[in-house]
Amino acid sequence: MYQTVGTSGRKNKKYCIDIHTKAAKKAKATREEVAESIMVATALKAGSALSHGVNALVAYDE
């Protein structure tokens, strides 16, 4: 599940970011675990995953 959050951020799909992040939160993922998945995706696709990964953290906080 965590990989889908990171991948959503890497591909910049806002709908996917929202759905997968909320599913991770429902599955009891911590904000830190969501952030870690974003960092893994960032390592795989450089800066764009980080900039879009912020959307996942915003979705988590909603």
Side-chain angles (χ1 to χ4, degrees), residues 5 7 14 16-17 22 24-25 29-30 34-35 38 43-44 55 62:
V5 173
T7 302
K14 181 151 177 48
C16 294
I17 290 169
K22 288 190 166 72
K25 186 176 181 180
T30 66
V34 171
I38 294 164
L44 298 174
N55 293 329
E62 291 179 344

Side-chain angles (χ1 to χ4, degrees), residues 14-34:
K14 181 151 177 48
Y15 175 77
C16 294
I17 290 169
D18 191 57
I19 293 298
H20 291 303
T21 301
K22 288 190 166 72
K25 186 176 181 180
K26 185 176 181 181
K28 305 296 185 202
T30 66
R31 192 173 194 279
E32 290 75 20
E33 289 170 327
V34 171

